[in-house]
Amino acid sequence: MDLIVQLIEKNQLHLMALQCARQLNLPQCYLAAGFVRNLVWDHLHDYSEPTPLNDVDVVYFDPDEDDPNQYLFYERQLTQMLPDCHWQVRNQARMHLRNGDTPYSSTLDAMSYWPEKETAVGVRLTGEGEYECIAAFGFESLFELQLTPNPKRPYSLFTERLNGKNWLEHWPKLQVI
């Protein structure tokens, strides 16, 4: 966690994104997936510039949220705060419907269904200079530059994402497990 925080604190865009997400005050809210994963992989590849993010994944868990389109409101709010980011906000309490799973119990539980283990990481700002990092499968394989399919998902989904996102070309030290 310490290294993740150090990497975030060196990156103004990441800091601002975390501050914006915190302002929404959403339950169990984290910036996740490539937001954390790419920073770590860039660091381990000694890249001097961070890999641009396709989007900033904001995940939260609110089982009492009635409006299935509430995420659009949050995306608009975040875009107003930080228009340089393409925000993707998702209530993980609803994602089991899209994924055909039994209901998830928390943000971390929902992340345990994501296609790659190393993508199931998140961070949030809990106070001034205080962070919380979570990982559904731990951080070890992320820092060992591994790319591991989640057995809860079809292997074909993993290979589709692996090929479509060109991770191995961009981060050649990665090892598929």
Side-chain angles (χ1 to χ4, degrees):
M1 180 176 146
D2 290 341
L3 180 55
I4 291 171
V5 169
Q6 289 173 16
L7 296 173
I8 287 170
E9 289 184 336
K10 292 179 185 175
N11 186 302
Q12 191 63 29
L13 183 64
H14 277 65
L15 279 173
M16 292 187 312
L18 282 166
Q19 291 165 351
C20 291
R22 184 168 182 243
Q23 289 180 45
L24 295 181
N25 201 29
L26 296 170
Q28 298 182 40
C29 182
Y30 296 86
L31 276 66
F35 185 83
V36 176
R37 181 199 63 221
N38 292 8
L39 268 182
V40 171
W41 287 350
D42 284 349
H43 170 74
L44 294 173
H45 279 79
D46 297 315
Y47 293 165
S48 59
E49 293 295 320
T51 298
L53 293 169
N54 294 331
D55 54 32
V56 176
D57 292 296
V58 179
V59 294
Y60 67 101
F61 193 84
D62 187 354
D64 298 324
E65 187 176 272
D66 293 331
D67 183 356
N69 294 314
Q70 183 66 32
Y71 71 95
L72 296 171
F73 173 74
Y74 297 135
E75 287 177 356
R76 284 192 300 273
Q77 283 187 299
L78 289 166
T79 299
Q80 288 174 352
M81 288 185 246
L82 191 57
D84 292 341
C85 291
H86 173 72
W87 297 95
Q88 186 175 49
V89 180
R90 296 294 182 267
N91 183 356
Q92 299 301 293
R94 301 190 59 78
M95 294 305 290
H96 71 283
L97 298 169
R98 187 188 90 175
N99 297 332
D101 299 325
T102 57
Y104 307 135
S105 61
S106 65
T107 295
L108 189 61
D109 181 42
M111 291 168 69
S112 77
Y113 287 82
W114 291 4
E116 312 85 31
K117 291 182 177 184
E118 295 74 22
T119 297
V121 294
V123 62
R124 69 178 168 180
L125 191 59
T126 58
E128 194 60 43
E130 297 174 13
Y131 302 84
E132 179 185 357
C133 296
I134 61 171
F137 302 98
F139 294 100
E140 188 174 318
S141 65
L142 175 67
F143 283 96
E144 290 180 356
L145 291 167
Q146 296 175 351
L147 195 51
T148 315
N150 185 342
K152 294 180 182 178
R153 292 288 174 235
Y155 186 74
S156 60
L157 177 59
F158 172 77
T159 58
E160 178 183 311
R161 287 174 52 84
L162 181 64
N163 295 329
K165 294 184 177 281
N166 296 316
W167 286 327
L168 297 176
E169 289 80 21
H170 187 72
W171 293 286
K173 295 179 185 177
L174 289 176
Q175 296 180 328
V176 176
I177 302 300

